[in-house]
Every structure is written in structure tokens, then in C-alpha cells.
Amino acid sequence: MIENKVAYITGGTKGIGFGIAGILLQNGISLAFSGRNKEDVEKAETQLKKFSENVLGLVSDVRSLESEQKAVEKITDKFGKLDFVIANAGLGIFKPVDELTSEEWNSMIETNLTGVFHTLKASVEELKKTEGYYITISSLAGANFFENGTGYNASKFGVVGFTQAAMIDLRKYNIKSTVVMPGSVATHFNGNEPSEKDNWKIQPEDMGNLILDILKMNPRVLPSKIEFRATKPKS
Ligand SMILES: NC(=O)c1ccc[n+]([C@@H]2O[C@H](COP(=O)([O-])OP(=O)(O)OC[C@H]3O[C@@H](n4cnc5c(N)ncnc54)[C@H](OP(=O)(O)O)[C@@H]3O)[C@@H](O)[C@H]2O)c1
């Protein structure tokens, strides 16, 4: 039963996070989401309210543990508990390693890798109370390296290792953990403007339906690592 559960998605103002938010709200889950930009958070909250009033937009930056702690406090103040955490916020900068700046490297590691730790650290005591679920969004780039991918590959390989080790630590509290590794998704990632050219890609609502299926699984089973790809990739 997933109705009346409460979820938190980081990076929910657009793209994958926004797609997951819409599907979870349509299935009776109360939902908080975050982003760094206040106007984008307010806009997304208005759009998501067409599915349900049980939505809370939060300005929070996953690079800051304190910011994530305040976000979780606001969620439990409003909804009384927290069942599902989806650590999704992330970004990619693709350049040859000799051209990648230290600031660019740090922004990927701090957001994509340290961010998922901060989100878990801020929410783990609430997840213990609800015997909840912690899901991270890595990437196929967390298993396959490519040209210009050093910082992004390092961060996403890291998320895979982090989530699997956390899975072992957390299951003794009946908290499940899954790392999802999507291929190309039609989002604003890396400056993309979603359009018809992206029709072959995974769509944000496909990510939402995948997360919903994971959350609905019988408590006795745990899909700990999932590769999720477009059926017919563009060559
Ligand atoms: N699109 C793909 O093909 C693809 C494939 C595999 C994995 N992924 C992963 O999926 C996740 C979501 O990406 P997306 O494709 O949906 O990209 P997107 O359309 O650019 O959305 C990214 C979201 O993350 C938020 N965000 C970025 N930095 C943040 C921070 N420090 N704190 C809080 N929120 C932050 C953004 O809002 P603000 O910028 O306003 O904060 C936005 O809501 C990322 O982890 C990405 O690596 C994407």
C-alpha cells in the first residue's frame, strides 16, 4: 500500500524529478520536492498542484547538509513523517580531463555524490521510524566510462558504490535502498531543451512509473541496482 505515504524528491523542479513527482502525486502519495531556485520551485509547485494539493516545494541545495536538514524538518512539520526519499538532484559537465576546472569537478562531486549522502544523512532517522525507502538516481555513466566524462563518471560510479553499501547498512532497520541507472532521458540535462528529437529517449514519466513499481514491490524483495535504458537508442 503506497497511498498516504510521504515522499521527498531532490531536484524536482524539472526533468526526471518533476516526472517522478507527477506520477507519485497521481497515485496518492504526498510529496515534497526541492530545487535551488525559488521561482522554479514555486512554478513547479503550481504545476504539480493540478494532480493533488498534497505537495510542498522547498528551496534547498543538496551540497549543504544543513539545508537538507531544514528541508526534512519542513516535510515532517507539514506531513508528520517521511517514507520515501529519492536523491535525484544532479548535473553534468563534459570536457576533456585536461580542460576540466577544479570548480567544475567540485560542482559535480559535491552535487551528485556528496549530495546523495547529505540527503540520506538528513532523512535517515525519519526513514528508520517509517521503515522507508531510499532511492538514488545514478546513471548508466555509473558503470560505463566515456570520453569527456571524468567528473561525471567519477560521481556516478561513486553513487552506485555508495548506495549499495548503504543498502547493507540500512536493511537491518527494514529500510530498502535502490540505485537506478538510467540511460538518456528527455530532460533539461546539460543544456538540452526537450523536443520531438528526444522521442526515442526515456521520458520523465517513464522514470516516475519505474519508481512507482519499485515502491510497490513486496517488502520481502529488494531490487538493489537497476539499469534502465531506451529500447532503441539512437546510434
Ligand atoms: N537526463 C539524462 O539523460 C540522465 C541520465 C541518467 C541520469 N541522469 C541523472 O538524473 C538526475 C536528474 O537530472 P535531469 O536529467 O532531470 O536534469 P535536469 O532536467 O537538469 O534537472 C535537474 C534538477 O536538479 C536540480 N538541482 C541541480 N543541482 C541541485 C542542487 N545542488 N540542489 C538541489 N537541486 C539541484 C535542478 O534544479 P536547480 O538547478 O534549480 O537547482 C533540477 O530540478 C541527475 O542526477 C542526472 O545526473 C540524467
Side-chain angles (χ1 to χ4, degrees):
M1 289 289 284
I2 56 161
E3 292 84 11
N4 305 318
K5 300 283 188 184
V6 178
Y8 173 38
I9 306 173
T10 65
T13 57
K14 55 189 173 183
I16 292 172
F18 187 77
I20 298 171
I23 296 288
L24 296 192
L25 283 168
Q26 288 173 71
N27 283 274
I29 293 173
S30 300
L31 185 121
F33 70 91
S34 68
R36 290 169 299 176
N37 182 290
K38 189 169 180 279
E39 280 168 24
D40 289 348
V41 168
E42 286 170 356
K43 192 173 149 210
E45 191 180 61
T46 305
Q47 289 169 333
L48 289 168
K49 279 200 168 148
K50 73 173 186 256
F51 299 121
S52 160
E53 281 297 311
N54 294 328
V55 56
L56 174 65
L58 297 164
V59 177
S60 182
D61 186 332
V62 297
R63 292 173 297 180
S64 155
L65 175 59
E66 198 191 345
S67 175
E68 284 298 274
Q69 285 166 330
K70 284 188 183 145
V72 170
E73 238 176 77
K74 287 182 189 150
I75 295 166
T76 53
D77 281 353
K78 181 170 171 73
F79 296 119
K81 61 172 185 160
L82 178 55
D83 300 280
F84 307 143
V85 171
I86 299 143
N88 161 75
L91 52 87
I93 301 161
F94 301 95
K95 282 182 175 181
V97 67
D98 50 316
E99 292 175 22
L100 192 71
T101 67
S102 169
E103 288 72 25
E104 289 166 338
W105 167 271
N106 286 337
S107 76
M108 283 185 278
I109 298 299
E110 287 168 10
T111 308
N112 302 357
L113 183 54
T114 309
V116 303
F117 168 68
H118 285 160
T119 302
L120 176 62
K121 188 84 187 148
S123 59
V124 69
E125 295 308 320
E126 295 303 324
L127 292 180
K128 284 182 190 174
K129 290 181 203 162
T130 54
E131 301 191 340
Y133 213 131
Y134 172 63
I135 297 175
T136 58
I137 306 298
S138 176
S139 169
L140 290 181
N144 310 283
F145 51 87
F146 47 77
E147 195 174 5
N148 298 335
T150 50
Y152 192 67
N153 281 138
S155 69
K156 293 299 187 180
F157 271 68
V159 173
V160 175
F162 170 78
T163 312
Q164 292 195 287
M167 180 268 291
I168 296 168
D169 292 343
L170 297 177
R171 65 181 172 182
K172 48 175 146 333
Y173 302 104
N174 294 326
I175 300 170
K176 295 210 256 185
S177 309
T178 295
V179 56
V180 177
M181 303 160 74
S184 295
V185 190
T187 70
H188 295 85
F189 187 75
N190 194 27
N192 185 54
E193 199 50 53
S195 70
E196 278 194 2
K197 72 179 182 331
D198 298 319
N199 285 353
W200 65 273
K201 295 180 181 174
I202 301 164
Q203 300 299 310
E205 64 266 29
D206 299 327
M207 291 296 300
N209 285 317
L210 172 70
I211 299 299
L212 186 66
D213 287 346
I214 295 170
L215 295 174
K216 279 179 164 174
M217 279 189 197
N218 191 295
R220 72 176 164 260
V221 294
L222 173 52
S224 52
K225 182 168 83 167
I226 297 177
E227 294 194 355
F228 193 58
R229 59 186 79 234
T231 310
K232 291 187 182 175
K234 207 174 169 192
S235 50

